[in-house]
Amino acid sequence: MKITMKDIAKEAGVSAATVSHVINGTKNITEDKRNKILDIIEKYNYSPNSTAKNLRKQNTKTAGLVVSSFPDTFVNEMVYGVEERAREKGYNLLLINTNEDEEYEQNTFNLLYSKMVDGIILSPASNDLEYLNAFTKSFPIVLVNRFNSKVENASSVTGDNFTIGYDAAKHMIEHGHKDIGIIYSVRHVSTTEDRIEGYKEALKENGLKFHESYLEAGHATVKGGAKAVESLLKREKKISALLIQNDLMTIGAISKLKELSIRIPEEVALIGFGDFASSPIITPPITNMVLPPHEIGRKAFDSLLKKIEDIEYMEHIELPASMFVRQSCGCD
Amino acid sequence: MKITMKDIAKEAGVSAATVSHVINGTKNITEDKRNKILDIIEKYNYSPNSTAKNLRKQNTKTAGLVVSSFPDTFVNEMVYGVEERAREKGYNLLLINTNEDEEYEQNTFNLLYSKMVDGIILSPASNDLEYLNAFTKSFPIVLVNRFNSKVENASSVTGDNFTIGYDAAKHMIEHGHKDIGIIYSVRHVSTTEDRIEGYKEALKENGLKFHESYLEAGHATVKGGAKAVESLLKREKKISALLIQNDLMTIGAISKLKELSIRIPEEVALIGFGDFASSPIITPPITNMVLPPHEIGRKAFDSLLKKIEDIEYMEHIELPASMFVRQSCGCD
DNA sequence: GTGAAAGCGCTAACAC
DNA sequence: GTGTTAGCGCTTTCAC
């Protein structure tokens, strides 16, 4: 049997309202009674039932974080950014990983909706986000990392994916490459598409032709990256430079290249997307395009908070890109 | 205004009880009414208020996961293991990162306790866990990764830390090393202490003396690892082998060693704890002692579930260690 | 097969 | 300064 506020009140010889007021500091209670109540609370290790409180107050001080990707460094850092900021603001975090499963994502949404959380930060599995429009008018939602403009009334916090695609391609072109391949994990998602757009733009500015066949898909894992390079290089013999969309795939690609005795960067130069701790001590040290996942996470939570306070409020934040130049791109 | 079960009932011309029954399948309702109710639910995109449901049912189908460490690969994988298993079992996960802050951990506990979650999986910040005994008798708790036998009535799921400490030290001894340093992040926590015990045992079996001064603390970060090797090697010139307690510190240590032009493994051999994806492509490829974080996470959730079903139930699971031999230890 | 009603534990408006 | 009371939205027992 769990102890309730009523029990505390009874033992202290006061009403539940009084107990509630001392716990929440909502009204002044005589010192004597206050102390007595506090003592009893201490004695029983009592803490108020948040379920009841939530129901009564119509909020839960909890945010939902729905991520879709396999936990690479980027997503992981983003999650901890959101968690950190939520904690600072007195919120809890409900974490859901949809594993790139669209249907699960939609189900989860129905579950979270309606007061189990005060709002949701979503990194969607796909670009089919119209289903969100049934919620966004009355329920705070912010899209993170991946974004789709068809979603109305939702805020968004992303990195500047166009620029990292553009800068990476341009850098390779400056190294003299004309045939630059891209290895990505999921298509039709703003992160991937924006990067490809940037890449195309850099190609165009330099009078290079875009080949759809220079793009290769793979699972966002070490194995996926290995498989993808192998099949891409087998199909497109002219490719001399690679842009790889996440850290695990980059690692897989490098392993495979080494296995095939293809020298980096002499035979195939390479730029990874998303910085990870070991980049500088890999041979060769990896050049990475980086977006700030921790900051994206923190900003996403702030954005959600604004929407919880005012559902009409909306903003689209795009955080700037940067580049860590090391040697895998051909620099020295 | 959010729509409630009452509203649905009214529009369908039935009682709330009937609506509840069709939603939960708790009783047979005439096909006609059933369909009508379902249509209305669909029409309004209604989903029942979980707060109210939780209050009424006295459970939340939510587990709390409280982790303490900086998010290295190991913790990250463990979190996703827990999340994955929770999802499979129809539970949600409340994620809290205490950032190794003991006081915050205790506060958080009071918050989670009492029905905001059905139970808690805790990776504690320190070894001072007596405060848990106020909860464990009536509230499901499982300790994960780090464990303290002073906590009564809590289950635990850990890796075999003694063995990885023992095996790593033994391996180094077999390579001819007599002066083996250890770089750890937090002391007085079972993971660290058990590994040190294993290390001591290997030393003893081989007639080697244990030096407290061969142990060096550092932050569980890349920088922390770098700083720690530098100060350890400066102090203890005879050290020719290093055991490093987590992935980020291992990376930092290697960077620093390279910076100091100390050759690995010729001048200083090294074994890391906790495998990470890039280990094989680092120069030299890193030998790692590994415990299965994903499996630990999954098992921890299963263990919690058993405790939720029966608070008396208790188990201590220790998952086996393995070793990925590569070159940083001196093997080839 | 269906409905009425009680009640989960709390908060807050109102009365005293 | 303190207590009474209503009610948040749901589930479930009991009656019909």
Side-chain angles (χ1 to χ4, degrees):
Chain A
M1 255 310 291
K2 199 144 257 177
I3 197 162
T4 72
M5 194 175 271
K6 228 174 169 174
D7 300 326
I8 303 285
K10 200 170 169 187
E11 183 154 342
V14 298
S15 76
T18 306
V19 177
S20 174
H21 284 133
V22 341
I23 289 175
N24 299 300
T26 26
K27 261 182 187 163
N28 277 341
I29 303 292
T30 330
E31 196 62 15
D32 266 14
K33 294 201 170 157
R34 223 182 82 85
N35 287 139
K36 188 162 185 188
I37 290 167
L38 256 16
D39 283 350
I40 298 170
I41 287 176
E42 174 101 356
K43 172 176 158 199
Y44 289 111
N45 198 20
Y46 167 76
S47 78
N49 181 319
S50 10
T51 304
K53 184 174 179 168
N54 293 344
L55 176 59
R56 180 61 230 240
K57 299 196 74 168
Q58 297 288 64
N59 69 220
T60 61
K61 286 274 183 186
T62 302
L65 173 57
V66 181
V67 300
S68 60
S69 318
F70 193 82
D72 56 12
T73 310
F74 189 90
V75 175
N76 183 29
E77 290 268 324
M78 193 178 80
V79 170
Y80 278 92
V82 173
E83 195 279 341
E84 182 183 274
R85 192 62 179 151
R87 179 154 34 94
E88 288 172 10
K89 292 293 192 177
Y91 272 70
N92 284 114
L93 239 213
L94 210 59
L95 174 69
I96 287 117
N97 177 18
T98 63
N99 247 316
E100 306 282 1
D101 180 338
E102 290 178 48
E103 201 184 320
Y104 185 81
E105 179 180 308
Q106 298 198 209
N107 291 343
T108 244
F109 234 90
N110 275 300
L111 206 153
L112 290 185
Y113 176 64
S114 182
K115 304 284 88 189
M116 184 148 156
V117 296
D118 296 346
I120 294 177
I121 296 174
L122 170 67
S123 177
S126 86
N127 216 20
D128 298 333
L129 260 24
E130 276 83 355
Y131 79 93
L132 287 178
N133 287 326
F135 298 101
T136 46
K137 245 155 280 170
S138 59
F139 190 62
I141 293 175
V142 0
L143 256 21
V144 72
N145 201 15
R146 296 173 180 174
F147 173 65
N148 178 342
S149 57
K150 274 187 232 126
V151 181
E152 294 150 19
N153 307 308
S155 289
S156 72
V157 179
T158 59
D160 184 351
N161 286 294
F162 179 89
T163 297
I164 61 173
Y166 176 86
D167 286 352
K170 195 169 164 220
H171 189 82
M172 285 306 198
I173 293 169
E174 285 166 357
H175 271 293
H177 296 285
K178 290 180 170 19
D179 300 280
I180 306 167
I182 294 189
I183 292 173
Y184 64 91
S185 58
V186 348
R187 198 71 194 265
H188 306 308
V189 119
S190 69
T191 39
T192 306
E193 295 303 325
D194 290 356
R195 290 170 189 185
I196 293 177
E197 282 312 308
Y199 160 87
K200 279 184 181 171
E201 178 63 22
L203 254 36
K204 198 173 136 198
E205 283 182 8
N206 289 276
L208 262 22
K209 212 183 144 213
F210 169 73
H211 303 272
E212 184 69 35
S213 63
Y214 281 13
L215 273 38
E216 180 81 27
H219 281 291
T221 59
V222 172
K223 266 192 193 151
K227 238 173 115 176
V229 242
E230 188 164 28
S231 95
L232 176 58
L233 259 29
K234 189 171 281 174
R235 186 176 70 236
E236 301 294 338
K237 315 271 186 202
K238 292 169 72 181
I239 284 180
S240 62
L242 249 24
L243 271 26
I244 308 176
Q245 300 293 324
N246 79 46
D247 57 353
L248 260 18
M249 293 180 99
T250 303
I251 291 167
I254 293 176
S255 301
K256 179 54 78 176
L257 257 17
K258 289 188 171 183
E259 189 188 315
L260 298 173
S261 302
I262 295 175
R263 283 172 304 139
I264 311 170
E266 295 82 355
E267 296 175 76
V268 171
L270 165 169
I271 293 179
F273 285 60
D275 204 46
F276 49 105
S278 56
S279 293
I281 57 169
I282 287 172
T283 308
I286 304 177
T287 294
N288 280 316
M289 303 307 304
V290 2
L291 261 17
H294 191 257
E295 197 55 29
I296 287 176
R298 289 182 61 94
K299 284 260 191 308
F301 185 82
D302 283 336
S303 209
L304 183 66
L305 216 47
K306 287 184 200 148
K307 236 189 179 343
I308 287 173
E309 279 157 13
D310 173 14
I311 186 77
E312 303 274 306
Y313 181 85
M314 202 167 108
E315 62 185 1
H316 295 288
I317 298 179
E318 192 176 77
L319 265 18
S322 49
M323 184 172 184
F324 286 8
V325 178
R326 287 185 277 251
Q327 279 99 69
S328 69
C329 57
C331 288
D332 49 32
Chain B
M1 255 310 289
K2 199 143 259 178
I3 197 163
T4 72
M5 195 174 269
K6 227 175 169 175
D7 300 326
I8 303 284
K10 201 169 168 187
E11 184 153 341
V14 299
S15 76
T18 307
V19 177
S20 174
H21 284 132
V22 342
I23 289 174
N24 299 302
T26 26
K27 261 184 187 162
N28 277 341
I29 303 293
T30 330
E31 196 62 15
D32 267 12
K33 293 199 170 157
R34 223 182 83 85
N35 287 139
K36 189 162 184 187
I37 290 166
L38 256 16
D39 283 350
I40 298 170
I41 287 175
E42 173 101 358
K43 172 177 159 199
Y44 289 111
N45 198 21
Y46 167 76
S47 79
N49 180 318
S50 9
T51 305
K53 183 174 179 168
N54 293 344
L55 176 59
R56 180 61 231 243
K57 299 195 73 167
Q58 297 288 65
N59 69 222
T60 61
K61 286 274 182 186
T62 303
L65 174 57
V66 181
V67 300
S68 60
S69 318
F70 193 81
D72 57 11
T73 311
F74 188 89
V75 176
N76 183 30
E77 290 268 324
M78 193 179 80
V79 170
Y80 278 91
V82 174
E83 195 279 341
E84 182 183 275
R85 193 62 180 150
R87 179 154 32 95
E88 288 173 11
K89 292 293 192 178
Y91 273 70
N92 283 113
L93 238 213
L94 210 59
L95 173 69
I96 287 119
N97 176 19
T98 63
N99 246 316
E100 305 283 2
D101 179 339
E102 289 179 48
E103 202 184 319
Y104 185 81
E105 178 179 308
Q106 297 198 210
N107 291 342
T108 243
F109 234 90
N110 275 300
L111 205 155
L112 290 184
Y113 175 62
S114 182
K115 303 286 90 190
M116 185 151 155
V117 297
D118 296 346
I120 294 178
I121 296 173
L122 170 68
S123 176
S126 86
N127 217 21
D128 298 333
L129 260 24
E130 276 83 356
Y131 79 93
L132 287 178
N133 286 327
F135 298 100
T136 46
K137 244 155 280 170
S138 60
F139 189 63
I141 293 175
V142 1
L143 256 20
V144 73
N145 201 16
R146 296 174 181 173
F147 172 66
N148 178 342
S149 57
K150 276 187 230 125
V151 182
E152 294 151 20
N153 306 307
S155 289
S156 72
V157 180
T158 60
D160 184 352
N161 286 294
F162 179 90
T163 297
I164 62 174
Y166 176 86
D167 286 351
K170 194 169 165 220
H171 189 81
M172 285 307 197
I173 294 169
E174 285 166 358
H175 271 293
H177 297 283
K178 292 180 168 21
D179 300 281
I180 305 167
I182 294 189
I183 292 173
Y184 65 90
S185 57
V186 349
R187 198 72 194 265
H188 306 307
V189 120
S190 68
T191 40
T192 306
E193 296 303 325
D194 290 356
R195 289 171 190 185
I196 292 177
E197 282 312 308
Y199 160 87
K200 280 184 180 171
E201 177 64 23
L203 254 36
K204 198 172 136 199
E205 283 182 8
N206 289 275
L208 263 19
K209 210 182 146 215
F210 169 73
H211 302 273
E212 184 69 36
S213 63
Y214 281 12
L215 271 39
E216 179 81 25
H219 281 290
T221 58
V222 173
K223 266 190 192 152
K227 237 172 114 174
V229 242
E230 188 164 27
S231 94
L232 176 58
L233 258 30
K234 190 171 279 173
R235 187 176 69 235
E236 300 294 339
K237 315 273 187 201
K238 293 169 72 182
I239 285 180
S240 63
L242 249 24
L243 271 26
I244 308 176
Q245 301 293 324
N246 79 46
D247 57 354
L248 260 19
M249 292 181 99
T250 303
I251 290 166
I254 293 177
S255 302
K256 178 55 78 180
L257 257 18
K258 289 187 172 184
E259 190 188 315
L260 298 172
S261 301
I262 295 174
R263 282 171 305 141
I264 313 169
E266 294 82 356
E267 296 176 76
V268 171
L270 163 171
I271 293 180
F273 285 60
D275 204 46
F276 49 105
S278 57
S279 292
I281 58 169
I282 287 171
T283 308
I286 304 177
T287 293
N288 281 316
M289 304 307 304
V290 2
L291 261 17
H294 192 257
E295 197 55 30
I296 288 177
R298 290 181 60 94
K299 284 260 191 311
F301 186 83
D302 282 337
S303 208
L304 183 66
L305 215 48
K306 287 183 201 148
K307 235 187 180 345
I308 288 173
E309 279 156 13
D310 173 14
I311 187 77
E312 304 274 307
Y313 182 85
M314 202 166 108
E315 62 185 1
H316 295 288
I317 298 179
E318 193 176 76
L319 265 18
S322 48
M323 184 173 184
F324 286 7
V325 177
R326 286 186 277 253
Q327 279 98 70
S328 69
C329 58
C331 288
D332 49 32

